[in-house]
Amino acid sequence: MRYKVLVIHGPNLNMLGKREPAVYGIKTLSDIDQAMSEYARKLDIALTAFQSNHEGEILETIQAAGDSHQGMIINPAAYTHTSIAIRDAILTLDFPVIELHLSNIYKREAFRHHSMISDVVTGQIAGFGTHGYLLALDAMAGLIQDAESS
Ligand code: DQA
C-alpha cells in the first residue's frame, strides 16, 4: 500500500451496534473497520484503526502518528465537545486531518453543536452514518495526493 492513514475512534464507539441504534445505526465498530479496510485497499491506503475510551491513550496515539502516517480520520465522540488536549495534539500534525461524526451533531442537543477541533482540522463529515467513513477515505486519498504533488 502506498499510503498509511490512522483512524481514531473515541469513547463509547466500541458500543456501536448496541448503543442508541436510532442515532448511530446497527453496525458494530468491527463492521466499520472492516468496510473501511476493504475500501482503503482500493485507494492504495493501509489503515491503522484505534479505539479508546481514554483521552490520554488517544493523545499518545495522535502524538505517535506524525512519523508513520500521511493522514488521520478521527471521531473523537464525546471528547469532540470537551477536549482542548486533543485539539492541541492535532495542532502538532502536519498532514490532513478529517473530523468525522456518525450523527449530524448540529441537529442534536446544543452542547454537541460546538466542536473543539473543527477549526483546526482540514474538514468535517457529519450526519452520514457509517457511509461517512468511506466518504472520509475518498477525501483523504485526494488530500494526500494533493499534498504529494504540491
Ligand atoms: C459522535 C457525536 C458525539 O456528540 C457523541 O458524543 C458521540 C458520537 C458521532 O459520531 O455522531 O459519541 O461523535
Tab-separated table of all heavy atoms in Angstrom, residues 10-13 16 19-20 23-24 75-81 99-105 108-109 111-113 125-127 133, ligand 1:
chain	number	residue	atom	x	y	z
A	10	GLY	N	-13.219	7.403	19.224
A	10	GLY	CA	-13.204	7.831	20.619
A	10	GLY	C	-14.128	7.028	21.522
A	10	GLY	O	-14.603	5.946	21.147
A	11	PRO	N	-14.411	7.579	22.701
A	11	PRO	CA	-15.120	6.833	23.740
A	11	PRO	C	-16.532	6.410	23.348
A	11	PRO	O	-17.233	7.149	22.644
A	11	PRO	CB	-15.171	7.817	24.919
A	11	PRO	CG	-14.952	9.160	24.319
A	11	PRO	CD	-14.064	8.941	23.131
A	12	ASN	N	-16.891	5.243	23.810
A	12	ASN	CA	-18.221	4.634	23.605
A	12	ASN	C	-18.459	4.123	22.188
A	12	ASN	O	-19.468	3.484	21.930
A	12	ASN	CB	-19.364	5.595	24.006
A	12	ASN	CG	-19.351	5.900	25.483
A	12	ASN	OD1	-19.325	4.972	26.293
A	12	ASN	ND2	-19.330	7.161	25.855
A	13	LEU	N	-17.536	4.386	21.282
A	13	LEU	CA	-17.751	3.890	19.913
A	13	LEU	C	-17.530	2.380	19.834
A	13	LEU	O	-17.986	1.732	18.892
A	13	LEU	CB	-16.894	4.658	18.911
A	13	LEU	CG	-17.284	6.147	18.799
A	13	LEU	CD1	-16.330	6.885	17.881
A	13	LEU	CD2	-18.718	6.313	18.302
A	16	LEU	N	-20.925	0.597	19.537
A	16	LEU	CA	-21.793	0.733	18.350
A	16	LEU	C	-22.469	-0.603	18.058
A	16	LEU	O	-21.859	-1.664	18.211
A	16	LEU	CB	-20.983	1.198	17.136
A	16	LEU	CG	-20.547	2.659	17.139
A	16	LEU	CD1	-19.695	2.947	15.898
A	16	LEU	CD2	-21.739	3.611	17.191
A	19	ARG	N	-25.437	0.630	21.088
A	19	ARG	CA	-25.594	1.978	21.645
A	19	ARG	C	-26.547	2.825	20.799
A	19	ARG	O	-26.249	3.086	19.626
A	19	ARG	CB	-24.200	2.625	21.635
A	19	ARG	CG	-24.185	4.032	22.092
A	19	ARG	CD	-22.838	4.677	21.807
A	19	ARG	NE	-22.882	6.034	22.295
A	19	ARG	CZ	-22.106	7.006	21.882
A	19	ARG	NH1	-21.167	6.767	20.979
A	19	ARG	NH2	-22.234	8.212	22.369
A	20	GLU	N	-27.635	3.283	21.392
A	20	GLU	CA	-28.585	4.181	20.721
A	20	GLU	C	-28.674	3.919	19.205
A	20	GLU	O	-28.326	4.788	18.408
A	20	GLU	CB	-28.175	5.642	20.938
A	20	GLU	CG	-28.184	6.081	22.398
A	20	GLU	CD	-27.823	7.558	22.533
A	20	GLU	OE1	-28.720	8.388	22.374
A	20	GLU	OE2	-26.636	7.846	22.773
A	23	VAL	N	-29.857	6.478	16.725
A	23	VAL	CA	-28.969	7.617	16.404
A	23	VAL	C	-27.760	7.139	15.601
A	23	VAL	O	-27.370	7.765	14.608
A	23	VAL	CB	-28.458	8.302	17.709
A	23	VAL	CG1	-27.501	9.448	17.375
A	23	VAL	CG2	-29.623	8.789	18.557
A	24	TYR	N	-27.161	6.011	16.041
A	24	TYR	CA	-25.860	5.609	15.491
A	24	TYR	C	-25.908	4.401	14.553
A	24	TYR	O	-24.876	4.023	14.005
A	24	TYR	CB	-24.891	5.318	16.652
A	24	TYR	CG	-24.631	6.535	17.509
A	24	TYR	CD1	-25.007	6.577	18.856
A	24	TYR	CD2	-24.035	7.670	16.976
A	24	TYR	CE1	-24.791	7.699	19.639
A	24	TYR	CE2	-23.807	8.801	17.746
A	24	TYR	CZ	-24.197	8.813	19.076
A	24	TYR	OH	-23.970	9.933	19.843
A	75	ASN	N	-12.933	10.336	14.885
A	75	ASN	CA	-14.224	10.605	15.513
A	75	ASN	C	-13.947	10.661	17.012
A	75	ASN	O	-13.874	9.626	17.676
A	75	ASN	CB	-15.246	9.509	15.197
A	75	ASN	CG	-16.604	9.820	15.818
A	75	ASN	OD1	-16.725	10.712	16.656
A	75	ASN	ND2	-17.626	9.085	15.407
A	76	PRO	N	-13.770	11.857	17.559
A	76	PRO	CA	-13.412	11.947	18.980
A	76	PRO	C	-14.596	11.685	19.902
A	76	PRO	O	-14.453	11.761	21.121
A	76	PRO	CB	-12.929	13.396	19.143
A	76	PRO	CG	-12.889	14.003	17.774
A	76	PRO	CD	-13.810	13.187	16.925
A	77	ALA	N	-15.780	11.409	19.326
A	77	ALA	CA	-17.005	11.129	20.098
A	77	ALA	C	-17.221	12.256	21.110
A	77	ALA	O	-17.095	13.426	20.760
A	77	ALA	CB	-16.927	9.735	20.700
A	78	ALA	N	-17.515	11.926	22.384
A	78	ALA	CA	-17.850	12.995	23.348
A	78	ALA	C	-16.680	13.956	23.579
A	78	ALA	O	-16.892	15.129	23.914
A	78	ALA	CB	-18.301	12.379	24.660
A	79	TYR	N	-15.438	13.488	23.373
A	79	TYR	CA	-14.284	14.392	23.554
A	79	TYR	C	-14.275	15.534	22.537
A	79	TYR	O	-13.594	16.533	22.732
A	79	TYR	CB	-12.971	13.618	23.466
A	79	TYR	CG	-12.699	12.683	24.619
A	79	TYR	CD1	-12.090	11.453	24.408
A	79	TYR	CD2	-13.041	13.033	25.924
A	79	TYR	CE1	-11.836	10.579	25.457
A	79	TYR	CE2	-12.791	12.169	26.986
A	79	TYR	CZ	-12.186	10.948	26.742
A	79	TYR	OH	-11.932	10.096	27.789
A	80	THR	N	-15.041	15.367	21.454
A	80	THR	CA	-15.178	16.448	20.468
A	80	THR	C	-15.533	17.768	21.152
A	80	THR	O	-15.050	18.833	20.769
A	80	THR	CB	-16.363	16.135	19.506
A	80	THR	OG1	-16.158	14.855	18.929
A	80	THR	CG2	-16.528	17.197	18.445
A	81	HIS	N	-16.413	17.635	22.147
A	81	HIS	CA	-17.026	18.828	22.733
A	81	HIS	C	-16.273	19.336	23.949
A	81	HIS	O	-16.614	20.372	24.498
A	81	HIS	CB	-18.482	18.504	23.106
A	81	HIS	CG	-19.197	17.728	22.033
A	81	HIS	ND1	-19.436	18.251	20.783
A	81	HIS	CD2	-19.650	16.439	21.990
A	81	HIS	CE1	-20.041	17.332	20.035
A	81	HIS	NE2	-20.175	16.225	20.739
A	99	GLU	N	-12.283	15.296	10.607
A	99	GLU	CA	-13.145	15.069	11.775
A	99	GLU	C	-14.426	14.403	11.286
A	99	GLU	O	-15.035	14.865	10.315
A	99	GLU	CB	-13.478	16.421	12.427
A	99	GLU	CG	-14.506	16.320	13.542
A	99	GLU	CD	-14.889	17.689	14.120
A	99	GLU	OE1	-14.335	18.724	13.678
A	99	GLU	OE2	-15.775	17.705	15.001
A	100	LEU	N	-14.819	13.352	11.960
A	100	LEU	CA	-15.973	12.602	11.492
A	100	LEU	C	-16.970	12.329	12.618
A	100	LEU	O	-16.561	12.008	13.733
A	100	LEU	CB	-15.475	11.260	10.926
A	100	LEU	CG	-16.571	10.480	10.205
A	100	LEU	CD1	-16.028	9.867	8.963
A	100	LEU	CD2	-17.183	9.442	11.112
A	101	HIS	N	-18.253	12.476	12.304
A	101	HIS	CA	-19.315	12.097	13.237
A	101	HIS	C	-20.369	11.302	12.482
A	101	HIS	O	-20.765	11.685	11.370
A	101	HIS	CB	-19.965	13.326	13.866
A	101	HIS	CG	-18.966	14.171	14.585
A	101	HIS	ND1	-18.446	13.804	15.803
A	101	HIS	CD2	-18.340	15.317	14.229
A	101	HIS	CE1	-17.559	14.697	16.164
A	101	HIS	NE2	-17.464	15.622	15.228
A	102	LEU	N	-20.827	10.238	13.106
A	102	LEU	CA	-21.899	9.443	12.508
A	102	LEU	C	-23.169	10.274	12.411
A	102	LEU	O	-23.867	10.264	11.395
A	102	LEU	CB	-22.157	8.211	13.380
A	102	LEU	CG	-21.049	7.150	13.372
A	102	LEU	CD1	-21.024	6.408	14.689
A	102	LEU	CD2	-21.259	6.190	12.219
A	103	SER	N	-23.495	10.974	13.494
A	103	SER	CA	-24.723	11.775	13.538
A	103	SER	C	-24.420	13.209	13.108
A	103	SER	O	-23.264	13.638	13.120
A	103	SER	CB	-25.289	11.758	14.962
A	103	SER	OG	-24.382	12.369	15.864
A	104	ASN	N	-25.479	13.923	12.755
A	104	ASN	CA	-25.339	15.353	12.451
A	104	ASN	C	-25.386	16.098	13.786
A	104	ASN	O	-26.456	16.351	14.325
A	104	ASN	CB	-26.456	15.810	11.523
A	104	ASN	CG	-26.343	17.280	11.185
A	104	ASN	OD1	-25.560	18.009	11.801
A	104	ASN	ND2	-27.119	17.728	10.225
A	105	ILE	N	-24.213	16.423	14.307
A	105	ILE	CA	-24.135	16.994	15.660
A	105	ILE	C	-24.876	18.335	15.756
A	105	ILE	O	-25.294	18.728	16.836
A	105	ILE	CB	-22.667	17.138	16.158
A	105	ILE	CG1	-21.810	17.924	15.167
A	105	ILE	CG2	-22.064	15.787	16.437
A	105	ILE	CD1	-20.371	18.186	15.650
A	108	ARG	N	-28.583	18.097	16.916
A	108	ARG	CA	-28.795	17.452	18.213
A	108	ARG	C	-28.742	18.482	19.358
A	108	ARG	O	-28.922	19.669	19.119
A	108	ARG	CB	-27.757	16.328	18.366
A	108	ARG	CG	-27.890	15.280	17.249
A	108	ARG	CD	-26.949	14.125	17.438
A	108	ARG	NE	-27.246	13.400	18.660
A	108	ARG	CZ	-26.415	12.528	19.224
A	108	ARG	NH1	-25.248	12.256	18.653
A	108	ARG	NH2	-26.748	11.916	20.343
A	109	GLU	N	-28.511	18.013	20.573
A	109	GLU	CA	-28.512	18.923	21.721
A	109	GLU	C	-27.491	20.047	21.509
A	109	GLU	O	-26.440	19.840	20.900
A	109	GLU	CB	-28.132	18.172	23.017
A	109	GLU	CG	-28.995	16.973	23.357
A	109	GLU	CD	-28.374	15.668	22.890
A	109	GLU	OE1	-27.851	15.583	21.760
A	109	GLU	OE2	-28.427	14.701	23.679
A	111	PHE	N	-25.250	21.276	23.370
A	111	PHE	CA	-23.860	21.052	23.798
A	111	PHE	C	-23.046	20.286	22.766
A	111	PHE	O	-21.816	20.270	22.829
A	111	PHE	CB	-23.800	20.361	25.178
A	111	PHE	CG	-24.362	18.965	25.219
A	111	PHE	CD1	-23.584	17.871	24.838
A	111	PHE	CD2	-25.665	18.742	25.631
A	111	PHE	CE1	-24.090	16.577	24.880
A	111	PHE	CE2	-26.192	17.445	25.670
A	111	PHE	CZ	-25.416	16.368	25.287
A	112	ARG	N	-23.740	19.665	21.783
A	112	ARG	CA	-22.994	18.957	20.723
A	112	ARG	C	-22.683	19.868	19.535
A	112	ARG	O	-22.011	19.466	18.590
A	112	ARG	CB	-23.770	17.739	20.220
A	112	ARG	CG	-23.947	16.676	21.272
A	112	ARG	CD	-24.611	15.424	20.691
A	112	ARG	NE	-25.266	14.680	21.734
A	112	ARG	CZ	-24.672	13.771	22.515
A	112	ARG	NH1	-23.408	13.464	22.333
A	112	ARG	NH2	-25.345	13.152	23.461
A	113	HIS	N	-23.207	21.086	19.548
A	113	HIS	CA	-23.032	21.958	18.375
A	113	HIS	C	-21.622	22.515	18.288
A	113	HIS	O	-21.192	22.947	17.229
A	113	HIS	CB	-24.036	23.123	18.399
A	113	HIS	CG	-25.456	22.689	18.306
A	113	HIS	ND1	-26.511	23.546	18.329
A	113	HIS	CD2	-25.997	21.444	18.201
A	113	HIS	CE1	-27.653	22.877	18.249
A	113	HIS	NE2	-27.360	21.588	18.175
A	125	ILE	N	-16.911	15.758	8.414
A	125	ILE	CA	-18.012	14.991	7.806
A	125	ILE	C	-18.928	14.581	8.950
A	125	ILE	O	-18.466	13.989	9.928
A	125	ILE	CB	-17.462	13.746	7.078
A	125	ILE	CG1	-16.618	14.162	5.869
A	125	ILE	CG2	-18.598	12.808	6.655
A	125	ILE	CD1	-15.879	13.015	5.193
A	126	ALA	N	-20.209	14.912	8.858
A	126	ALA	CA	-21.141	14.579	9.951
A	126	ALA	C	-22.514	14.279	9.388
A	126	ALA	O	-22.979	14.956	8.470
A	126	ALA	CB	-21.234	15.739	10.941
A	127	GLY	N	-23.151	13.257	9.941
A	127	GLY	CA	-24.558	13.028	9.641
A	127	GLY	C	-24.831	11.961	8.593
A	127	GLY	O	-25.991	11.700	8.278
A	133	TYR	N	-17.596	7.229	6.851
A	133	TYR	CA	-16.213	6.735	6.937
A	133	TYR	C	-15.627	6.485	5.547
A	133	TYR	O	-14.439	6.685	5.317
A	133	TYR	CB	-16.156	5.469	7.789
A	133	TYR	CG	-16.335	5.755	9.271
A	133	TYR	CD1	-17.586	5.689	9.864
A	133	TYR	CD2	-15.253	6.116	10.064
A	133	TYR	CE1	-17.764	5.966	11.212
A	133	TYR	CE2	-15.403	6.399	11.406
A	133	TYR	CZ	-16.666	6.326	11.979
A	133	TYR	OH	-16.831	6.615	13.310
B	1	DQA	C1	-20.495	11.357	17.797
B	1	DQA	C2	-21.300	12.567	18.284
B	1	DQA	C3	-20.905	12.949	19.700
B	1	DQA	O1	-21.668	14.073	20.142
B	1	DQA	C4	-21.155	11.807	20.649
B	1	DQA	O2	-20.721	12.119	21.961
B	1	DQA	C5	-20.564	10.517	20.176
B	1	DQA	C6	-20.592	10.188	18.767
B	1	DQA	C7	-20.990	10.853	16.417
B	1	DQA	O3	-20.271	10.070	15.806
B	1	DQA	O4	-22.078	11.218	15.972
B	1	DQA	O5	-20.154	9.699	20.993
B	1	DQA	O6	-19.141	11.754	17.649
